[in-house]
Amino acid sequence: MSAIGIGQAVILGVVEGVTEFLPVSSTGHLKITEGLMGIPVDDKAVVAFTAVIQVGAIAAVLVYFFKDIVRIVSAWGRGLANREERYHHDYKFAWWVIYATVPIVVVGLAAKPLIEGPLASLWVVAGSLIVGSGLMWAADRMGRHKRGEDDTSLRDAMLVGSSQILALLFPGFSRSGATMSTGLILDLERVAATRLSFFLGIPALTGAGLYELKDAVGAGVDTTPLVVGTGVSFVVAYASIAWLLKFVAKHSFNAFVAYRIVIGILLFGLLGTGVLNA
């Protein structure tokens, strides 16, 4: 029998869509939601389902940034065929995204048993939510917010891309939170750091979703909940992306920091009182 029903898939799709690109930890919110609905967070089918519905959110990024992606991919293709085109920033940026994805792929494959086992605990999620908040708060104040998207370098891409490992190993830390914070520490503007986070998340999250697809179906998750959850996450994520880019253009990350701390403390309370099972 499927571990997740259609109604649960809709709820999880909404949670995924809202939180995937906000620096609040989509994995953490999904695990909390699964726990409240009585879904075992360490069930292989549930872990796989969570990874697959992320593809819906990634599809939203592909649609939202379609023109940018076409521009970058086109520049990369021209550069492969013409040496003179290889000095173009978009050509180099395409390679940087590829290079920056390698660390998280290597760690993801090597640490898969830990990621799906001990590190999937809600205790880890609660602690990571609070610790990650500290990093975001410090990064927002350390960064000078003076560098734009065209000023990014291979070093920026590698450091920001590698920071995704924090969220991979410690669910609750937030992939978006880790990458945006790293971008701010590197003095990128908030919008530039946010856009870089989006672009670097495309190959990593798409690859994770496709890799887990066979396991999700094989582990007992019906196709219908998968399709429903993925579709819902796409629609909600598209709206979330549009809102986030407008928000960071005029505001700091303080609201996200405060929210994460509250959720982390609440989760510790629910776990400590036995309301939720870790």
Side-chain angles (χ1 to χ4, degrees):
M1 294 179 64
S2 174
I4 298 174
I6 294 178
Q8 294 171 322
V10 171
I11 295 173
L12 293 176
V14 171
V15 173
E16 164 64 23
V18 170
T19 62
E20 180 60 55
F21 300 111
L22 301 186
V24 297
S25 175
S26 62
T27 301
H29 279 73
L30 284 168
K31 288 185 179 298
I32 292 172
T33 304
E34 290 162 359
L36 291 174
M37 292 193 297
I39 300 173
V41 298
D42 59 347
D43 186 291
K44 289 185 177 179
V46 176
V47 173
F49 176 88
T50 300
V52 172
I53 64 173
Q54 287 179 334
V55 176
I58 291 300
V61 174
L62 295 176
V63 174
Y64 192 91
F65 292 106
F66 182 73
K67 291 183 179 179
D68 294 294
I69 294 171
V70 169
R71 188 191 74 244
I72 293 169
V73 173
S74 297
W76 183 68
R78 291 195 302 272
L80 292 177
N82 187 341
R83 183 181 297 272
E84 294 181 359
E85 295 287 341
R86 297 175 188 175
Y87 296 99
H88 196 287
H89 184 270
D90 285 340
Y91 170 79
K92 292 185 285 187
F93 184 76
W95 277 114
W96 297 345
V97 171
I98 295 173
Y99 298 152
T101 303
V102 174
I104 192 173
V105 171
V106 172
V107 174
L109 293 175
K112 194 170 186 288
L114 286 175
I115 295 169
E116 296 182 353
L119 293 179
S121 169
L122 288 178
W123 287 108
V124 176
V125 172
S128 298
L129 276 166
I130 295 176
V131 173
S133 298
L135 173 63
M136 287 183 61
W137 182 85
D140 211 10
R141 280 151 185 76
M142 289 172 56
R144 290 176 286 179
H145 315 294
K146 67 176 185 178
R147 300 173 58 210
E149 190 173 342
D150 291 337
D151 298 320
T152 55
S153 64
L154 173 60
R155 172 175 172 270
D156 297 326
M158 291 302 298
L159 289 174
V160 173
S162 296
S163 70
Q164 296 178 105
I165 295 173
L166 287 172
L168 183 68
L169 296 178
F170 305 106
F173 209 97
S174 170
R175 189 201 65 82
S176 296
T179 52
M180 291 178 191
S181 296
T182 303
L184 292 178
I185 292 173
L186 295 171
D187 294 330
L188 291 177
E189 298 170 346
R190 291 190 184 94
V191 173
T194 301
R195 284 173 59 88
L196 182 59
S197 172
F198 283 137
F199 289 126
L200 290 176
I202 291 173
L205 293 178
T206 301
L210 295 177
Y211 180 80
E212 295 285 2
L213 181 58
K214 65 180 187 305
D215 293 333
V217 176
V221 179
D222 291 340
T223 302
T224 301
L226 274 178
V227 173
V228 170
T230 303
V232 171
S233 71
F234 168 81
V235 175
V236 177
Y238 189 92
S240 180
I241 293 167
W243 177 85
L244 179 61
L245 288 171
K246 292 180 180 178
F247 180 86
V248 298
K250 300 180 179 179
H251 301 85
S252 70
F253 289 128
N254 287 344
F256 296 119
V257 170
Y259 174 79
R260 289 170 56 103
I261 292 175
V262 170
I263 294 298
I265 293 174
L266 176 62
L267 181 54
F268 270 126
L270 292 174
L271 291 171
T273 57
V275 175
L276 283 181
N277 188 328

